[in-house]
Amino acid sequence: MDKFSFVRLAILTAFVPIALAVSTQQYNWKNVKIGGGGGFIPGIVFNPSQKGLAFARTDIGGAYKLNADDSWTPLLDFADDARWNYWGVDALATDPVEPNRLYLATGMYTNSWDPNNGQILISTDTGATFTPVKLPFKVGGNMPGRGMGERLAVDPNNNKILFFGARSGNGLWKSTDYGSTWSKVSSFTNTGTYIADPTDTSGYNSDKIGIAWVTFDQTSGKSGSATPRIFVGVANKGSSNIFVTNDGGSTWSAVAGQNTTYLPHKGVLSPSEKVLYVSYSDGAGPYDGTLGAVYKYNIASSTWTDITPVSGSDLYFGFGGVAVDLQKPGTLMVAALNSWWPDGQIFRSTDSGATWSPLWAWQSYPTMNKYYTYSDSLAPWLGPNYVDTTPGDKQIGWMMEALVIDPFDSNHWLYGTGATLYGGHDLLKWDTTHNVTIKSLADGIEETSIQGLISPPTGPSLLSAVGDIGGFAHVSLTSPPTTGFTNPTWPTASDIDFAGNKPTNIKLANMGECYSSTGKQVALSTDSGATWNQDYGAADNTTGGKVALSADGDTVLWRTNGNGVMVSQYTNAFTAVPSLPSDAAIASDKKNNSIFYGASQSKFYLSTDGGKTFAAKGSLGSSTSPVKVVVNPSVTGDVWVSTDKGIFHSTDSGSTFNALSGVTQAWAIALGAPAKSGGYPALFAAANIGGVGYFRSDDQGVNWVKINDANHGFGSASSNVITADPRIYGRVYIGTNGRGIFYGDASGASPAPTSTVSSTASSSTTSKSSSTTAVSTTKTTSSTTTSKTTTSSSPTSTGTVAGYGQCGGMGWTGGTVCVAGFTCVYSNPYYSQCTPS
Ligand SMILES: *[C@@H]1O[C@H](CO)[C@@H](O)[C@H](O)[C@H]1NC(C)=O
Ligand SMILES: *[C@@H]1O[C@H](CO)[C@@H](O)[C@H](O)[C@H]1NC(C)=O
Ligand SMILES: *[C@@H]1O[C@H](CO)[C@@H](O)[C@H](O)[C@H]1NC(C)=O
Ligand SMILES: *[C@@H]1O[C@H](CO)[C@@H](O)[C@H](O)[C@H]1NC(C)=O
């Protein structure tokens, strides 16, 4: 399913021009390999001129370049806190004339969740480096309709020329200088009226999808001159939605004879046939679509032909991906955008859509003939029983908008799903033995949204709580996990913690509210995450939030979503903890089983009775939003708190705090193995210390070394989580919102401590510290508002649903009551079906 991102809003960070001597240490950063992508791949584009050159774009994790060995290399890891919205890639164009040129339209949201305008990122070295060109409007890489496309295209006859179709009614834009400057195409007036859900007050589903794709017909022109004929698909329903120009964009008209019932998702040219293939769906995607069509437009004869592969009751989905085989004119494939049950579907034709063969067919219900061999060897956790596949066996996928055939190799194909990227190298077998390989080929694509990380002193060095795909015990950092957390299997785990004295005892909290998950949403493991049990003390339907497990592992403190803070001992029913504010950051002491900590606004709280009651202790200065409380694993009462005003340290259980000098703002913090055996743990922080970055201190926050570099920005600092390894000095794990987990090891010499910072170190204070004052001119605004991209799920009953029809699911607005003889049965978060009673 899709990555939904928990973006705490962008931090508008002003660089602090103070003389703060923060030295830098070289770190070696690598992804912790999950190996299967882990999120939605809305776009894959092959360069038509250079063999083997291909790119994939993601909605919250940047873009990738394909390598010869089928692996992928990330291109946008340099995106730092100020450039976090670069990871939302709404469109990608690779230049057919000069294949070294690559363009990305980036920006995360067009609603308030992203305050920044979008930009075109221009590369002249196939993605090794980029130059940004700011656009005067927002771009929505993680907005509805992000799988339509591509919205950005390079003129194949004159590659100085690019067109970009904007969202939000901003229209069609053109560049004549390789993307350096852009101007609006005033002659193109139909900017798209379709809105997924006008009632969505968040602005997420209520914005216009706008222009969906731009497709040049290179056969209409000649090399060196602007291509005359260009097709543009627009998100309109019930009115013209495919437009054409025959004069390079001076004048436009609706293509005559088009069927405007559905939204055109893709317009793919088959140049030697002079045909435009168009897929349609009744929604913008990526989750929806219950009807659709496939048409071909014959340019020479100006005729449309309906070539939809299925009809009647077999047509219960829209269409997304369209691929043509440039080596074999007339060979094409289309993907069902969302065939939620029993599995995704892909169709292939070798006669220009006159006849089709499917990737699977019913032999006799419920037995399927699967015309493929499935392989998840590169990401064994994916599958056949992968999370959210209930009931059983979903392999082909969902949210299938990206579907491509290698223009130089008819056997090589790739497609994107909501969870991974599949493909193979034996596609021509479809036409002979009708049995092709479908293999997860997302190696190198790590696009998960990480919610929580722990590195206990025993067992696997890393365990994760992950958006959309649950979480993992990372037995190896370099090979993919064989399984995610199971029993319970949750789409999203929101946090994870371990017991300090019994570190194999681990607790997980679910964040299930996006997925209409019900039931107990805390789970416990006593074997380092290998197996789990639901915590039967949890009330049904209480979800999400943060968890803290007591030192001996018998007590769970749970900051829920919407039900305040709760506590339970020995898996008894959770009871409310009214003495701790419902937004508190929470932590357990790692030694004393009775002690828990909390922080909210400027107050620190202590519980000495196993979390039943909390008392306010010392002050966190002028803080308004504490982020994380971290406890020295071997010293009770030695606590660190990160807040919007810096980092605060207490050695007396929070009675008094030191505000660290020079740290003006901090998010995730962690303690790891000390530099010297027996020494104080190394402190890691995502913080603003003369600038936003990632830092380590070996002397309790007096001196800092910056550990990230220009190539590793980690995106939005406020969205990330950190844990540090208690076994390996210097090793830190950074969980990002969209680029998976990184681990870093110091590779360069540790710089000698400087005293510049320490000279202004503040003494103990319970109010605003001197250091805070010293940098009080910093103009930082931060919001800890957590935004999620959930699709609206307010079904409105509109009559009874026929047998085997859809009767529910996220975003479903149709009927929910089945005709007599059928019952609406939950299949997965996106799909419920009328099944014989
Ligand atoms: C347009 O498409 C719809 C849906 O596929 C179909 O029912 C209708 O007959 C089509 N209209 C024409 C004129 O072909
Ligand atoms: C395709 O090949 C796989 C692997 O050999 C096999 O399991 C499957 O049954 C084959 N499909 C059909 C329809 O024969
Ligand atoms: C939990 O949610 C489900 C689905 O919304 C509902 O049917 C059930 O009554 C809820 N249970 C409780 C205890 O609130
Ligand atoms: C744990 O903390 C409680 C509350 O401060 C205290 O009464 C108890 O003695 C402590 N336990 C140990 C083993 O130190």
Side-chain angles (χ1 to χ4, degrees), residues 332-417:
L332 72 148
M333 296 163 74
V334 295
L337 175 54
N338 285 304
S339 170
W340 291 110
W341 183 89
D343 203 340
Q345 181 64 287
I346 298 175
F347 302 92
R348 179 172 166 96
S349 173
T350 55
D351 54 13
S352 307
T355 60
W356 297 91
S357 67
L359 191 49
W360 60 266
W362 293 116
Q363 186 185 77
S364 60
Y365 182 85
T367 307
M368 291 160 75
N369 278 334
K370 297 181 175 183
Y371 305 116
Y372 60 88
T373 306
Y374 180 81
S375 168
D376 62 3
S377 59
L378 296 180
W381 56 269
L382 271 174
N385 299 313
Y386 168 61
V387 58
D388 273 344
T389 60
T390 45
D393 254 19
K394 206 182 301 283
Q395 295 176 326
I396 296 167
W398 56 92
M399 292 160 68
M400 288 153 39
E401 294 268 30
L403 172 64
V404 288
I405 299 171
D406 186 332
F408 292 89
D409 180 357
S410 298
N411 267 316
H412 183 204
W413 66 305
L414 298 170
Y415 70 96
T417 77

Side-chain angles (χ1 to χ4, degrees), residues 53 69 105 114 123 145 154 168 205 307 362 532 569 679 695 714 746 789:
L53 184 62
D69 65 355
D114 181 352
S123 175
V154 179
S168 317
N205 275 306
I307 56 167
W362 293 116
W532 293 87
Q569 191 174 24
F695 302 88
F714 306 117
T789 66

Side-chain angles (χ1 to χ4, degrees), residues 173-240:
W173 290 69
K174 182 182 182 182
S175 170
T176 56
D177 54 8
Y178 301 104
S180 296
T181 59
W182 292 83
S183 54
K184 192 170 178 172
V185 180
S186 55
S187 58
F188 195 91
T189 53
N190 200 311
T191 57
T193 56
Y194 181 77
I195 290 172
D197 177 6
T199 67
D200 180 5
T201 52
S202 75
Y204 182 71
N205 275 306
S206 55
D207 193 23
K208 290 174 181 165
I209 306 294
I211 294 176
W213 46 266
V214 176
T215 302
F216 286 92
D217 173 10
Q218 66 263 41
T219 69
S220 68
K222 58 179 194 304
S223 179
S225 308
T227 299
R229 188 179 301 117
I230 310 163
F231 295 96
V232 173
V234 177
N236 288 329
K237 230 162 129 174
S239 65
S240 295

Side-chain angles (χ1 to χ4, degrees), residues 516-519 540-541:
S516 48
S517 294
T518 55
D540 281 348
N541 301 354

Side-chain angles (χ1 to χ4, degrees), residues 795-799 801 806-808 811-817:
T796 50
S797 185
T798 54
V801 178
Q806 183 173 4
C807 54
W812 175 247
T813 54
T816 56
V817 178

